Amino acid sequence: MARDKNELYVTVPNLFRCPISMDVMKSPVSLSTGVTYDRSSIQTWLDNGHNTCPATMQVLPSTDFVPNLTLRRLIHLWSHDSHSIPMSSPHSDASAPPPLISKQQLLDSIKTIDKSTTNCLDSLLQIANFAKYSGENREFLASIDGFVSRIVGILCNVDEIQVLELIMTVLDLIVSENGVKEELIRLVFKCNRDCLSPFVSVLERGSLSSRIESARVLESIAFNTESQRAITEKQGLLFELHRLARSETDPTAIEAGLSCLIALSTSSRPVKKQLVQFGIVRTAGKIISGSDTVVSVIEKAMKLVEMVSTCAEGRAAIGEDENCVAAIVKRLMKGTSAGTEHGVAVLWSVCYLCRDRTAQEAAMRNNVLTKVLLVMQSGCTARARQMCVDLVKVFRVNSKSCLASYETKTTHIMPY
């Protein structure tokens, strides 16, 4: 159908479309998987007897859903701005102009960003959409003098969760741009303002996507011992990051939580001890043993367990958790080489260094000797190979039984 040349079409942001109907959502609700649908569409799906999330096909532990009030508000604001403009369908002409504001309109939005809550939400939504569109836009936004300082100022002075979520979205989009991380670090840690409480609020009350974004921003600014200490000493932050990794099924959320915890645990024994108290060993064990866990997530879980295994409390918790030890042994040689070496380091800490009998027995029940010999033959690093040699010594038996169940071509490897 021909279009009048003066007729204006607006492309609907994908975030606002229901994954089932592909229409703008009127009543967005989120499943336990974190995916949001229009209420009528997902209710019909569930009423037809389905017990899976349509987007991810994960089996739903619960068919309950909760209203996504933040997204509903954003759709309302967007619809209000665009109510007189016809919206294109998902299959409309790709050459239709995108719904972007100009650079001058962006600057005007930034000027009015803190006038009122409504103006703030509207402006932040426009800024976020502008930044999402292209790398060039993100670079331009990051180069605006005083912009980062302005939104951090808002971050520290409001408690409106929708505002906080949008700020996290914007910061996550531009934190890797030139100079932004350094400016953000200065503003968060060098000023006499509480800039970390908003992160706790988003991790506690925000949508899944905003919780992921806040974890990624925290990871970016945890650049040295001082900043790591400030973050970990903020009440509730470590717990919420662990909860993000523990309670979600979305691999992106789990990975974001684990990555941030790794950044915060680099050299701090108190942090590792606190994570052990939260149950990080059990959490990581479940992640590693998951049959459909993403390889990159397994690698990060292995790395985090290796990090806590460097403290006595961590080694004790690993030794007591037979499931974690078994999961690590089973994953050796089944993921990335880095993940395998993290696993070897964990086994070395609890089975060789500490001689934990429970951990040794759990490893032996899962054919650890065969796995360790395979790692030695795989071309691992010198450090990993030496740990493997030590582990073979721990699990040594007489020469016949040592390789009795080892029928591959690697039988020529001598235990030590």
Side-chain angles (χ1 to χ4, degrees):
M1 181 176 67
R3 298 175 181 170
D4 182 71
K5 65 180 180 180
N6 295 319
E7 190 174 10
L8 185 61
Y9 283 79
V10 174
T11 303
V12 180
N14 289 334
L15 179 66
F16 297 166
R17 292 189 186 277
C18 172
I20 297 175
S21 68
M22 295 306 295
D23 293 328
V24 176
M25 290 181 278
K26 297 178 180 178
S27 180
V29 295
S30 298
L31 292 178
S32 58
T33 57
V35 182
T36 300
Y37 303 90
D38 190 67
R39 182 186 294 271
S40 60
S41 297
I42 193 59
Q43 190 64 64
T44 300
W45 170 268
L46 297 173
D47 289 344
N48 287 335
H50 298 288
N51 67 340
T52 56
C53 172
T56 66
M57 295 312 295
Q58 292 174 286
V59 176
L60 296 170
S62 169
T63 56
D64 295 335
F65 45 71
V66 295
N68 191 328
L69 300 180
T70 299
L71 187 57
R72 185 171 69 181
R73 169 68 174 165
L74 296 180
I75 292 173
H76 173 75
L77 289 171
W78 176 83
S79 299
H80 177 74
D81 289 341
S82 309
H83 71 278
S84 62
I85 304 175
M87 292 182 294
S88 62
S89 73
H91 307 291
S92 61
D93 185 357
S95 63
L100 293 178
I101 58 176
S102 66
K103 291 182 178 180
Q104 184 57 53
Q105 288 172 318
L106 176 74
L107 295 172
D108 292 339
S109 291
I110 293 173
K111 290 178 182 178
T112 61
I113 198 171
D114 51 4
K115 297 298 183 183
S116 68
T117 299
T118 301
N119 283 339
C120 189
L121 280 170
D122 197 5
S123 297
L124 283 170
L125 179 59
Q126 291 181 325
I127 292 167
N129 284 338
F130 180 89
K132 287 177 182 178
Y133 185 69
S134 69
E136 180 184 349
N137 283 5
R138 291 189 285 277
E139 184 178 353
F140 175 78
L141 182 61
S143 70
I144 298 174
D145 187 40
F147 172 69
V148 176
S149 176
R150 191 156 193 169
I151 60 172
V152 170
I154 297 171
L155 185 74
C156 299
N157 289 293
V158 301
D159 191 44
E160 174 65 47
I161 189 64
Q162 296 166 335
V163 172
L164 298 180
E165 287 182 310
L166 280 170
I167 290 175
M168 293 301 169
T169 297
V170 174
L171 288 177
D172 182 45
L173 286 166
I174 66 172
V175 71
S176 61
E177 297 298 327
N178 185 39
V180 173
K181 181 166 68 174
E182 293 75 13
E183 176 72 359
L184 191 56
I185 289 168
R186 183 186 67 79
L187 292 167
V188 172
F189 301 115
K190 305 295 184 183
C191 299
N192 295 321
R193 294 183 296 184
D194 180 8
C195 297
L196 292 175
S197 287
F199 287 89
V200 179
S201 296
V202 172
L203 286 166
E204 286 178 340
R205 301 184 284 141
S207 65
L208 181 59
S209 60
S210 64
R211 292 168 66 203
I212 293 170
E213 290 159 352
S214 62
R216 288 198 294 234
V217 174
L218 282 172
E219 181 187 358
S220 296
I221 62 177
F223 79 110
N224 64 10
T225 303
E226 181 182 355
S227 59
Q228 291 163 8
R229 183 174 62 251
I231 293 170
T232 55
E233 289 179 351
K234 182 62 185 179
Q235 186 174 2
L237 261 183
L238 266 185
F239 176 81
E240 290 300 330
L241 289 168
H242 175 246
R243 187 170 71 91
L244 181 63
R246 181 197 68 207
S247 61
E248 298 299 336
T249 57
D250 182 273
T252 304
I254 298 171
E255 188 164 7
L258 292 175
S259 294
C260 192
L261 290 175
I262 289 169
L264 296 173
S265 306
T266 303
S267 58
S268 173
R269 182 179 178 278
V271 171
K272 297 170 188 176
K273 183 178 178 180
Q274 195 170 355
L275 287 177
V276 171
Q277 293 171 345
F278 289 152
I280 193 63
V281 171
R282 178 172 295 182
T283 297
K286 289 181 178 179
I287 293 171
I288 295 167
S289 62
S291 59
D292 57 349
T293 307
V294 177
V295 172
S296 61
V297 175
I298 292 173
E299 180 183 322
K300 285 185 169 56
M302 291 274 216
K303 182 173 182 177
L304 192 53
V305 178
E306 180 190 358
M307 295 179 79
V308 300
S309 74
T310 60
C311 69
E313 294 82 3
R315 290 190 292 271
I318 296 166
E320 293 168 1
D321 193 329
E322 296 184 28
N323 292 330
C324 182
V325 174
I328 288 173
V329 174
K330 290 175 183 177
R331 285 291 184 181
L332 294 182
M333 299 298 296
K334 289 187 177 180
T336 63
S337 58
T340 292
E341 295 198 8
H342 293 318
V344 168
V346 174
L347 295 174
W348 183 86
S349 291
V350 294
C351 296
Y352 174 78
L353 187 63
C354 289
R355 295 298 204 275
D356 187 292
R357 188 62 184 169
T358 303
Q360 290 175 357
E361 291 173 354
M364 287 295 290
R365 284 195 296 271
N366 289 276
N367 202 19
V368 66
L369 188 57
T370 299
K371 297 293 186 69
V372 169
L373 290 169
L374 283 169
V375 174
M376 292 176 68
Q377 184 172 289
S378 68
C380 58
T381 63
R383 172 177 174 268
R385 182 177 178 82
Q386 182 56 56
M387 287 190 289
C388 286
V389 170
D390 293 337
L391 286 169
V392 170
K393 292 178 181 179
V394 169
F395 298 118
R396 68 187 183 275
V397 287
N398 65 64
S399 58
K400 290 185 178 180
S401 60
C402 175
L403 300 174
S405 62
Y406 191 61
E407 299 175 351
T408 73
K409 294 181 179 180
T410 58
T411 54
H412 67 277
I413 298 178
M414 296 304 293
Y416 51 87

